[in-house]
Each structure stands twice: as C-alpha cells, then as structure tokens.
Amino acid sequence: MTTAPWWTHGTIYQIYPRSFQDSDGDGVGDLEGIRRRLDHLEDLGVDALWLSPIFVSPMRDFGYDIADYRAVDPVFGRMEDLEALLRDAHARGLRVILDLVPNHTSDQHAWFKDSRSSRQAAKRDWYIWRDPAPDGGPPNNWLSEFGGSAWAFDEATGQYYYHAFLESQPDLNWRNPAVCEAITDVMRFWLDKGVDGFRIDVLWHLMKDESFRDNPVNPHWREGGPPTDRLVKLYTTDLPEMETVIRRLRETVEPYGDRVLIGEIYLPTERLMRYYGTENDGVHLPFNFALIDAAWDARHIHRMIEDYEQALPPGGWPNWVTGNHDKPRIATRIGPAQARVAAVLLLTLRGTPTIYYGEEIGMEHAVFDDATALDPFARQVPGFGLGRDGARTPMQWEPGPNAGFGAGTPWLPVSRTDEAATVAGQRDDPASMLSLYRRLLALRRTRKAFTEGRYQGLAAEGGLLLYLREAGDERFLVALNLGAVPVSVSLTGPVSAGRIVLSAKPGREDEAIAGSLTIDGDDALVVALDPAG
Ligand code: NOJ
Ligand code: MG
C-alpha cells in the first residue's frame, strides 16, 4: 500500500470543455458531453480531469472572465450536470479538478459592478483603482498581456482600473483581505461539493507593486517583437508578497485532506520553486512548463531536466506538461513523429504528467487567421502567431460529421474527420498514437519505478536522451531519439542487458538487448533492465 497522495502517482488530463463533447447540439461542448465520454478517459488510463472554467461568464476570454464563481454557465449545463459528472467520475476512480481564476473577474461580476458604481462603493477597494497621471493618461506604464495599456478609464468615477488581460477582466485587489476571504470562500464552496482540487489561473500575477512603480524596459526586446514583451514585468508579477497568498490558499484546502492545488506559473525554473512554499505550505504542483516551448534538442532538454530536478525543494514533487489551451499543439510544433517521442518523455519522467485533450490522438494545431480569430489574444496582438484557437478545435471522436463532436455547427471548425485522426479509428490500431498513450499509462500504473522511482540522467550524444528510472529491483532505461537518424549506444556494467517493454515506433517490444542498443530515428525505447550483478 502506498501512502503517497494520489496526485503524485496519478496522471492529469486537461479538458477544454467547449471543445470536448457537445451533448445538446448547440455547437459548444458541455458537462453532459464530458460525462458521456468518461469511458474514453478510463480506457486511456488517466486519473484526474481538470476542466477549464465552466462558470457563468460573458465568454470574452471563453470562461476565464467569470461573472459568478459559484454557478455553472448555461452553455455548459446546470449545477446538476456538474454534480452528475463528479458522481460518475468518482465512481470510476477519476478525480475532478476545477479551474480557479482568482486574479480577475469579468466586468459583469456583481463585485465589479458595485466597485465601479462610485468611489465610496463598499467594494471599491476590491479592484485596483488609481487616479489618472497629471496629464490625464494612465497612472503608470503597465501593459496588458493582451495588448495596450493595462489601465482602463472609467468615465463615471474618473479613475483608472487595472486589467492584466482584457479590459473586461478587471484585476482583483489581493492586498484587500476581503478579496482573499471571498476567493477562499469560493474554494470551500467547491471543495464541499467534492471537487478534488484546483488549477489556479495566472497565480504569479496576483500581487502587484504597492507603490505602482513603472515596469523597466526589457533590454532583450527588439523592434518587431510582440509589444506585450516590451517591459519586464518586475512590478506586476512574481512579487515577494506572493508567499503569504499561496500560504492562504494552501491553508484553505489543507483541512480537506488529499485535494490538490496546481499553479499556472510561467517563470524560469529557479523562480518557480518559490511557489512550493517555504515549508511545503505553497501549491502542491507549480506547473512546470519547461517542455512546452523548449527547443527540441536532446542536450538542451537533458540539461533542463537536470536543472529542474536539482532546483526542487525538499519534498517538492515534480510535474511535466507538453501542451495546454494557450500554446501551439506539440504534434505541430515538433512534428507528428517526434510527438510520439514526446509522449514517452512526458510519461516516463519523474513527476505528475498533464495531458492536454487530443494529445493522445496526435491532434495538430489548426490554422486560423488572427484578424478573424475568435481568440481575443489573436485579434488584439496579431501577427506573432500567438492565437490560441488552433489548440482548441473540437475533439475528434469518430469519422463522419463533426468527427462525432456534436450535431450542431461546432464553435470552432473540426480539424480532421478522417478515421485515422479519431479515437474510434485509433482504438484498435496497435500502431496508433492512442495505443502508445494507453501502453505508456499502463506502464506507469503497473511499474512503480515510473511513479515513485528515482530519475538518473545518463551521458549521451547527439539526438539521444538517456535516463534511468529505478525503484527497488525495478530498473528501466529510457532512450529517446530526438533526431531523425538512428543512434547507437553501448551498454556496460549494471546497464548492459534487458528487454524492450515499449517502443514509440511499433514493433520492437520484447526484443532482448545486450551490450548495445540502436534507436531508430524518431523512436523511443523503454528497456526493462536485467537485475544488476
Ligand atoms: C491563463 C489562461 O490559461 C488563459 O487562457 C487566459 O486567457 C488567461 N489566463 C487570462 O485569464
Ligand atoms: Mg452544448
């Protein structure tokens, strides 16, 4: 019996609810749709689903602009649908993680409506209001992540409010204890309903400089680069005060037992580590996005893994991610052949993996024109390939109309409806991406070397990435070829012989190896090593 919390050995699966399964024909995925597809998740072998926001929202940022934290948006269903999903998922041993968006609300939230009603409003100080600069312009130079100034002028009360994202997403004022109280109340509301944890949106943004100093110019920014990168976000993100905030969030879930907090944080490895807290009192899993836009180079990735492993604080549990609803899909970024190698990497590294829906069938990034994109980021910061619609196209379930996503016209066009690109078409094909994911997840479930085991990087050259995963007498060698040409490695001492238990390219399972190993281009092998000595 293992006593480690479930999220240390489990695998998380991210669902973008608009795009998973539409049950009512309105072209938008919904909770009932997700419930009907639980078979797929169980069959795949994941342990938890994280749902991007399903709360009441005007959908300017597709749910990341929340108007009511405690109610389900009608487009996704009713509270009863969420309760039914929780019940059915739990009955199958699947956990359910919700998205918590504490940094900002929608401008349609009752809190903001009150806040903007007058300077004396009860909730005025729940948001970040400042007087105009002497020239009437914005109070300082802070920029929105979605383009332009981060300050919006409110005619009625003559002040500016701060919004790190859209103008319709005003930032909450986390220096006001009432805000922290209100958000932790929201957390308790959902924890009492039985949800298993939260993924916390833009966690590193919550605190901003108390004296509103201008952000410095980014010395690495070049003319022609995204205008949103022009400044270093020194005074708007990752402030020292975050330490108390993460402690409050952790204290909120602690009485509930094994619930998990996952922080969305885009920071370099060494700064990411602070979010574990000082004494295991921060979030359990600060998302590690190192792989999400890493140059696909074996030496670079090897160093990155080593750096991450080295940087982890005592008791800090690692995690890995290859994609999400904000980033280009991995199968397009590194190509379909290497996407199989990436799957082996994601699921054999030490730490909790998060799979983005569709990765298991090799879904590719769809092409959209920034000018006509639905994603406001693409429209407001066009021309840099930042649009996110391409990662959010409907899940491809079966060949035929809308690939089985639903009867109505999907909110974003389905990318592919041919059999080979669907779950149904891949299910019984041992050479498919889906079969590879299932085999990898089965390996994780049955061999504790992959969940609890040690990681040890081995020296290698060229396109080869080589490491050991070991627990007790279970010893595995993982050899990934990040290049297109075959590579060979000689095996000596305790790592000299064994049997291949999994190959990214079909066909090498069960092959006995001794003394050396050749890995084909675009292949990855997992070798069960013979007992040492
Ligand atoms: C991060 C979310 O992942 C992204 O989709 C959203 O646009 C921003 N936060 C703002 O909420
Ligand atoms: Mg629907």
Side-chain angles (χ1 to χ4, degrees):
M1 267 306 285
T2 169
T3 53
W6 66 269
W7 46 266
T8 60
H9 45 84
T11 300
I12 298 166
Y13 184 93
Q14 180 189 358
I15 290 178
Y16 195 67
R18 296 184 71 83
S19 305
F20 201 58
Q21 175 69 58
D22 178 20
S23 72
D24 59 3
D26 67 352
V28 180
D30 41 54
L31 292 166
E32 173 59 12
I34 297 169
R35 198 182 65 80
R36 291 186 194 166
R37 290 297 187 183
L38 290 177
D39 275 350
H40 171 65
L41 302 182
E42 206 180 347
D43 178 61
L44 178 61
V46 297
D47 299 272
L49 34 143
W50 146 37
L51 308 179
S52 280
I54 41 99
F55 315 104
V56 171
S57 165
M59 303 288 167
R60 299 275 178 279
D61 192 20
F62 296 110
Y64 283 95
D65 48 329
I66 297 173
D68 184 349
Y69 286 103
R70 295 169 193 244
V72 172
D73 193 278
V75 81
F76 297 124
R78 301 157 306 159
M79 186 62 94
E80 295 86 89
D81 298 311
L82 182 61
E83 286 162 352
L85 174 60
L86 269 172
R87 209 169 40 239
D88 285 16
H90 285 165
R92 293 167 185 250
L94 291 165
R95 316 273 175 155
V96 179
I97 296 169
L98 296 185
D99 215 307
L100 180 76
V101 187
N103 181 69
H104 46 268
T105 68
S106 159
D107 61 356
Q108 300 305 305
H109 196 293
W111 299 343
F112 189 69
K113 287 185 178 168
D114 176 82
S115 187
R116 81 182 319 173
S117 66
S118 90
R119 290 199 190 199
Q120 285 73 43
K123 293 194 169 58
R124 183 65 168 182
D125 193 40
W126 281 42
Y127 293 83
I128 302 170
W129 292 97
R130 300 290 287 169
D131 285 333
D135 68 354
N140 66 19
N141 74 350
W142 293 357
L143 296 173
S144 159
E145 297 280 340
F146 286 167
S149 169
W151 296 99
F153 188 64
D154 180 59
E155 294 284 350
T157 57
Q159 283 189 312
Y160 284 86
Y161 65 86
Y162 175 73
H163 59 92
F165 297 90
L166 297 174
E167 191 170 321
S168 58
Q169 289 170 301
D171 277 46
L172 283 161
N173 175 16
W174 273 83
R175 293 188 184 271
N176 183 343
V179 165
C180 183
E181 213 33 61
I183 293 291
T184 51
D185 271 353
V186 167
M187 293 169 75
R188 282 184 286 267
F189 174 81
W190 291 111
L191 291 165
D192 288 338
K193 279 213 182 287
V195 312
D196 299 285
F198 301 98
R199 172 270 191 187
I200 308 169
D201 191 65
V202 296
L203 181 59
W204 83 116
H205 270 264
L206 260 49
M207 281 286 186
K208 348 294 172 185
D209 184 44
E210 204 166 12
S211 48
F212 295 90
R213 280 168 282 186
D214 273 353
N215 272 331
V217 166
N218 176 2
H220 303 295
W221 188 78
R222 293 282 166 271
E223 201 63 49
T228 43
D229 291 345
R230 208 157 44 73
L231 305 177
V232 180
K233 292 154 199 168
L234 182 65
Y235 294 119
T236 43
T237 63
D238 194 30
L239 294 198
E241 293 93 316
M242 278 309 300
E243 203 172 294
T244 28
V245 177
I246 56 176
R247 203 174 297 135
R248 291 298 305 278
L249 299 174
R250 177 66 172 264
E251 279 165 13
T252 307
V253 297
E254 217 49 18
Y256 290 86
D258 59 354
R259 317 291 171 98
V260 67
L261 290 182
I262 308 171
E264 186 208 19
I265 305 149
Y266 284 93
L267 284 176
T269 297
E270 64 291 357
R271 282 162 66 196
L272 183 64
M273 296 303 155
R274 281 210 307 131
Y275 291 79
Y276 281 103
T278 43
E279 285 160 20
N280 203 21
D281 52 2
V283 299
H284 303 95
L285 301 173
F287 257 144
N288 166 20
F289 294 128
L291 282 176
I292 222 165
D293 38 29
W296 207 246
D297 169 87
R299 298 285 64 72
H300 170 71
I301 290 180
H302 178 89
R303 197 165 323 112
M304 208 183 72
I305 299 167
E306 299 286 324
D307 289 349
Y308 179 71
E309 283 276 352
Q310 286 293 313
L312 285 166
W317 186 255
N319 77 90
W320 297 94
V321 185
T322 42
N324 63 34
H325 63 294
D326 294 326
K327 296 287 178 178
R329 280 198 178 268
I330 182 112
T332 301
R333 192 168 77 77
I334 64 174
Q338 280 295 320
R340 298 177 70 98
V341 176
V344 180
L345 180 66
L346 176 69
L347 295 170
T348 60
L349 280 173
R350 193 176 80 92
T352 306
T354 301
I355 297 171
Y356 182 48
Y357 87 92
E359 279 178 357
E360 77 276 30
I361 52 169
M363 269 176 72
E364 301 213 30
H365 203 80
V367 179
F368 290 92
D369 185 5
D370 283 346
T372 55
L374 297 183
D375 177 17
F377 190 27
R379 288 199 312 274
Q380 296 192 181
V381 192
F384 299 98
L386 298 171
R388 303 172 295 177
D389 289 350
R392 300 173 178 180
T393 60
M395 181 67 175
Q396 296 151 195
W397 294 105
E398 59 216 21
N402 301 333
F405 169 70
T409 305
W411 74 287
L412 282 175
V414 176
S415 286
R416 283 178 61 182
T417 59
D418 56 304
E419 190 164 19
T422 66
V423 172
Q426 295 190 15
R427 189 175 296 127
D428 300 320
D429 173 4
S432 70
M433 185 68 132
L434 184 56
S435 295
L436 176 61
Y437 266 88
R438 282 161 71 193
R439 278 183 289 131
L440 282 162
L441 284 157
L443 202 58
R444 282 186 72 88
R445 278 174 177 265
T446 50
R447 303 304 187 92
K448 63 180 187 308
F450 293 106
T451 45
E452 298 163 22
R454 287 181 301 282
Y455 160 90
Q456 190 194 332
L458 300 178
E461 284 168 17
L464 187 61
L465 186 60
L466 205 60
Y467 51 88
L468 292 173
R469 295 300 315 277
E470 305 171 287
D473 48 16
E474 278 184 17
R475 298 165 63 238
F476 292 91
L477 175 70
V478 183
L480 306 113
N481 189 347
L482 275 63
V485 292
V487 286
S488 294
V489 58
S490 57
L491 303 176
T492 55
V495 190
S496 60
R499 188 171 292 277
I500 296 174
V501 293
L502 181 139
S503 61
K505 285 186 171 177
R508 289 191 67 183
E509 270 107 15
D510 274 344
E511 190 182 310
I513 56 138
S516 74
L517 181 64
T518 300
I519 308 110
D520 201 4
D522 300 325
D523 202 1
L525 304 173
V526 179
V527 180
L529 293 168
D530 293 344

